[in-house]
């Protein structure tokens, strides 16, 4: 059932179980609760072996149950010990009649049967199974060894609304160590999200090792100090700041994501947001306008005037970067590569004789056309290598490359224009799903940025704007929430901004919900309070409590940039 429906005969009260995101249907099973014991087997039919490995590794520590390999008939090593029910145990299997990420989880008299359209569908169902076992199933060790575990008597039939359900994490403004990134992949998986947009380069730091250009990390990954708070703040942390992921780290992150059926979208930002790269290789900048050898990695926030020079040497440089990026992010995990394209001031190009000569040579109209030339070049380059370019909605300016997709961040407008023109779109308007924006209008919100976007506001976000033609709506790939980390200096601050709102966003992206005004937020909130906050507690997530921040989560006196009123719909 959906969260908007009340229980009826043959259905189950979703609030009591607290399933998030809400499944399409949730009904009562004919059989009673299914007990899990020490000898309960886990059978992986062909194609589900990876999910079985994940289930054992995830459920084993909190339950103490080994879930030995079974054959689907109840046979497993050591059967007959009397320590718990066996039966057929948990059975994982595929059924191509289901949607690719769809699944059916059914508690039967002698088995818990989890069937998916693909291994990804089985994995999404495994997340539901974990939730059904209760919040303690999200811990890393048993709270009460020997306790009884059972799966409640339900049948869940489910599939996602959107194929792109993502979160973007900025690790440039503030760096998160590799283990924190892996942890966020687990948190995305727990909420049935399937895209991790990895923002790896910006003015404030270059975070990915490129072996042919070692100065990108030797120089470009470190800044001498960091602004504390909004860019208008007078506070500074004078400690040199930096970090980057080695290529081995990146391979591990990508493999970890793949095991959780999460696609990784690496972002290499061009032609703006490039001062870290220019500080490492000054020839990349507009040397006929500024002394690029004097530039360092930027230590504050905002829109930076130092952009890439429109030269063939710049193109060759970033082709070299991308050759290594494509090797690290294989096509099966990363079909899309994000090339940024946002917030590229044109002042230096207007002043640069070289840039003006390039405009004339290319026959483009103006500086917007020059940016379009950058994006079109890499669209063709990536297409020739079996990948697709995606960029922020500014790439529409000057004309959009034929195969490019758009991340619509400045509002709905760019996404609407792109979709009506036949381009694929990911909706992520800052006014709705930028999770760095503050969660409340009270004085205790730490470093308050942007409009107030409460848990309920996020729950009422609608990725497909009204009035979009049916054909254009088919180009809405899905949606993602964006996490920019200017005022998030560590994992705890990221947790506070992201949760619990990511749970509401995940339901918007996954579940078949009514129109925004008709959504039953009270029922969603009841499910959060019944179980999901306890799951986040078990996972160690430092979320914003419903009653407001704890004293340790506040940052009194640190200047932010709050915006008042309702955000505009643009």
């Amino acid at each position: 059932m959906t969260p908007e429906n009340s229980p009826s005969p043959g259905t189950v009260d979703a609030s009591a179980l607290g399933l998030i995101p809400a499944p399409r249907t949730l009904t009562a099973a004919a059989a009673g609760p299914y007990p899990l014991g020490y000898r309960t087997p886990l059978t992986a039919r062909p194609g589900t072996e990876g999910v079985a490995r994940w289930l054992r590794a995830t459920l084993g520590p909190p339950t103490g149950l080994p879930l030995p390999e079974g054959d689907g008939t109840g046979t497993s090593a050591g059967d007959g010990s009397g320590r718990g029910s066996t039966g057929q145990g948990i059975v994982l299997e595929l059924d191509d009649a289901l949607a690719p990420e769809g699944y059916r989880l059914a508690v039967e008299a002698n088995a818990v049967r989890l069937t998916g359209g693909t291994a990804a569908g089985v994995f999404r169902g495994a997340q539901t199974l974990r939730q059904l076992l209760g919040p303690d199933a999200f811990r890393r060790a048993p709270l009460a060894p020997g306790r009884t575990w059972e799966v409640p008597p339900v049948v869940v039939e489910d599939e996602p609304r959107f194929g792109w359900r993502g979160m973007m994490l900025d690790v440039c403004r503030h760096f998160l160590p590799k283990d924190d990134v892996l942890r966020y992949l687990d948190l995305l998986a727990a909420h049935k999200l399937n895209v991790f947009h990895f923002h790896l380069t910006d003015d404030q730091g270059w975070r990915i090792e490129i072996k042919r250009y070692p100065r990108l990390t030797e120089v470009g990954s470190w800044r001498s100090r960091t602004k504390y708070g909004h860019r208008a703040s007078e506070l500074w942390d004078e400690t040199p700041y930096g970090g980057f992921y080695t290529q081995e780290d990146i391979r591990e992150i990508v493999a970890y994501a793949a095991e959780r059926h999460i696609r990784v979208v690496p972002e290499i930002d061009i032609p703006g947001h490039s001062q870290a790269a220019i500080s490492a290789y000054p020839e990349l900048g507009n040397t006929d306008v500024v002394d690029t050898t004097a530039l360092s990695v930027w230590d504050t926030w905002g829109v930076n005037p130092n952009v890439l020079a429109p030269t063939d040497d710049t193109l060759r440089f970033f082709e070299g970067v991308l050759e290594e990026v494509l090797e690290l992010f294989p096509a099966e995990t990363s079909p899309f590569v994000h090339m940024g394209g946002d917030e590229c001031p044109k002042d230096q190009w207007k002043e640069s004789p070289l840039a003006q000569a390039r405009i004339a040579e290319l026959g483009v109209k103006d500086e917007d056309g020059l940016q379009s030339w950058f994006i079109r070049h890499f669209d063709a380059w990536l297409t020739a290598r079996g990948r697709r370019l995606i960029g922020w909605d500014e790439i529409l300016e000057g004309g959009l490359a034929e195969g490019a997709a758009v991340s619509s961040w400045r509002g709905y407008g760019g996404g609407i224009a792109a979709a009506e023109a036949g381009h694929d779109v990911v909706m992520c308007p800052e006014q709705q799903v930028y999770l760095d924006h503050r969660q409340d209008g009270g004085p205790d919100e730490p470093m308050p940025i942007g409009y107030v976007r409460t848990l309920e506001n996020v729950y009422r976000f609608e990725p497909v704007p009204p009035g979009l033609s049916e054909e254009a709506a088919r180009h809405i790939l899905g949606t993602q929430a964006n996490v920019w980390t200017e005022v998030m200096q560590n994992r705890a601050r990221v947790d506070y901004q992201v949760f619990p709102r990511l749970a509401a966003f995940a339901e918007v992206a996954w579940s078949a919900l009514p129109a925004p005004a008709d959504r039953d937020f009270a029922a969603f909130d009841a499910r959060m309070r019944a179980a999901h906050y306890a799951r986040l507690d078990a996972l160690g997530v430092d979320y914003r409590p419903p009653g407001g921040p704890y004293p340790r989560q506040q940052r009194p006196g640190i200047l932010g940039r709050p915006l008042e009123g309702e955000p505009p719909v643009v």
Side-chain angles (χ1 to χ4, degrees):
M1 75 176 198
T2 66
E4 288 67 38
N5 296 331
S6 298
S8 58
T11 65
V12 178
D13 183 358
S15 296
L17 296 175
L19 294 182
I20 290 178
R24 296 222 167 187
T25 65
L26 175 63
T27 56
Y34 190 87
L36 303 181
Y38 195 76
R39 299 301 178 190
T40 299
L42 171 58
T43 299
R45 303 290 192 206
T48 69
E49 296 86 354
V51 182
R53 285 193 297 272
W54 180 87
L55 264 176
R56 288 191 181 93
T58 302
L59 295 184
T63 64
L65 302 178
L67 300 176
E69 292 185 16
D71 62 7
T73 66
T75 301
S76 65
D79 255 356
S81 70
R83 297 177 62 192
S85 171
T86 55
Q88 291 184 351
I90 301 171
V91 180
L92 311 180
E93 54 195 357
L94 301 180
D95 181 355
D96 60 12
L98 297 174
E101 287 188 275
Y103 67 91
R104 184 177 191 271
L105 192 162
V107 174
E108 302 173 354
N110 60 353
V112 176
R113 194 170 303 278
L114 176 51
T115 308
T118 63
V122 177
F123 185 78
R124 308 299 172 223
Q127 300 296 339
T128 299
L129 174 61
R130 187 186 188 192
Q131 289 194 12
L132 289 171
L133 290 174
D136 288 349
F138 289 75
R139 297 190 177 274
R140 296 185 183 181
L143 297 186
R147 68 171 277 185
T148 299
W149 294 87
E150 60 182 24
V151 185
V154 296
V155 176
V156 181
E157 295 183 288
D158 203 8
E159 65 181 77
R161 178 185 179 192
F162 293 109
W164 185 302
R165 309 179 305 280
M167 189 189 89
M168 187 227 68
L169 181 63
D170 164 28
V171 294
C172 299
R173 280 50 178 268
H174 281 100
F175 179 71
L176 281 183
K178 179 199 69 178
D179 282 356
D180 288 344
V181 175
L182 299 179
R183 172 178 175 267
Y184 257 86
L185 290 171
D186 279 329
L187 292 172
L188 296 189
H191 292 82
K192 297 187 174 71
L193 298 175
N194 68 342
V195 175
F196 177 56
H197 178 166
F198 204 8
H199 183 77
L200 288 164
T201 74
D202 217 301
D203 300 302
Q204 296 85 0
W206 185 283
R207 304 295 180 215
I208 177 173
E209 179 187 26
I210 302 297
K211 295 195 181 233
R212 75 185 70 184
Y213 302 128
R215 286 177 59 83
L216 286 172
T217 45
E218 290 172 0
V219 173
S221 71
W222 292 94
R223 57 182 183 256
S224 61
R225 63 177 186 168
T226 294
K227 178 70 72 173
Y228 193 44
H230 181 255
R231 60 180 176 269
S233 169
E234 296 181 356
L235 299 176
W236 293 88
D237 182 339
E238 298 290 345
T239 307
Y241 187 91
F244 67 91
Y245 307 102
T246 67
Q247 294 202 351
E248 290 73 20
D249 291 337
I250 293 291
R251 289 189 178 95
E252 181 182 357
I253 288 167
V254 170
Y256 198 84
E259 289 175 346
R260 286 146 184 80
H261 300 275
I262 293 173
R263 287 176 285 160
V264 183
V265 179
E267 181 176 355
I268 306 296
D269 213 337
I270 65 165
H273 286 292
S274 296
Q275 184 161 319
I278 295 169
S279 72
Y281 293 92
E283 64 272 20
L284 294 173
N286 293 286
T287 57
D288 57 347
V289 176
V290 295
D291 178 8
T292 56
T293 63
L295 295 177
S296 59
V297 177
W298 211 25
D299 58 13
T300 189
W301 324 126
V303 179
N304 189 298
N306 295 297
V307 302
L308 297 174
T311 67
D312 288 340
D313 287 343
T314 299
L315 297 183
R316 300 292 89 75
F317 182 95
F318 278 90
E319 287 172 359
V321 168
L322 288 170
E323 284 175 3
E324 295 192 27
V325 167
L326 295 192
E327 182 184 353
L328 296 169
F329 295 88
E332 56 269 24
T333 302
S334 303
F336 285 89
V337 176
H338 206 289
M339 297 304 297
D342 63 317
E343 297 180 328
C344 178
K346 310 299 190 296
D347 297 340
Q348 289 185 357
W349 289 349
K350 290 177 181 177
E351 298 175 21
S352 165
L354 184 150
Q356 292 302 309
R358 198 69 199 249
I359 288 173
E361 174 192 340
L362 295 170
V364 297
K365 180 180 178 182
D366 53 17
E367 290 77 20
D368 285 344
L370 199 55
Q371 175 163 339
S372 178
W373 167 76
F374 261 104
I375 298 301
R376 287 177 182 273
H377 174 85
F378 285 104
D379 177 69
W381 191 91
L382 288 167
T383 298
R385 289 156 181 80
R387 307 299 180 94
R388 289 190 64 189
L389 181 145
I390 186 169
W392 303 111
D393 55 57
E394 286 95 330
I395 68 173
L396 290 162
E397 298 166 3
L400 185 57
E402 182 177 349
V406 169
S407 301
S408 189
W409 77 274
R410 290 181 294 180
Y412 289 108
I416 292 171
E420 294 287 5
H423 293 276
D424 289 338
V425 174
V426 175
M427 281 294 184
C428 49
E430 65 167 328
Q431 302 87 351
Q432 309 298 329
V433 288
Y434 268 35
L435 299 185
D436 45 306
H437 284 208
R438 58 193 172 133
Q439 303 185 63
D440 189 86
D444 295 332
E445 292 306 306
M447 303 185 201
I449 301 294
Y451 294 101
V452 172
R453 292 289 87 190
T454 66
L455 184 67
E456 182 172 358
N457 291 144
V458 174
Y459 191 66
R460 297 191 189 281
F461 165 61
E462 173 49 49
V464 180
L468 201 63
S469 70
E470 184 177 340
E471 182 178 354
R474 287 195 288 269
H475 286 287
I476 306 297
L477 298 177
T479 182
Q480 70 181 35
N482 293 340
V483 182
W484 300 102
T485 61
E486 286 92 338
V487 296
M488 301 181 216
Q489 70 274 29
N490 54 40
R491 186 178 88 176
R493 280 286 293 122
V494 174
D495 278 4
Y496 179 89
Q497 292 299 133
V498 170
F499 288 99
R501 291 182 295 179
L502 194 71
F505 173 81
E507 184 148 308
V508 168
W510 176 278
S511 304
L513 298 177
D518 298 329
R519 293 177 189 171
D520 190 346
F521 174 74
F524 171 79
D525 189 53
R527 284 180 285 126
M528 290 291 297
R529 294 172 187 270
H532 206 67
Y533 284 116
R535 294 180 192 120
L536 297 178
D537 287 332
L539 289 166
V541 176
D542 203 8
Y543 59 86
R544 182 189 188 276
Y550 297 124
R552 63 175 171 76
Q553 294 173 320
Q554 299 169 17
R555 298 291 184 276
I558 310 300
L559 187 66
R561 184 176 173 264
L563 300 174
E564 301 303 332
E566 280 295 307
V569 178
V570 293

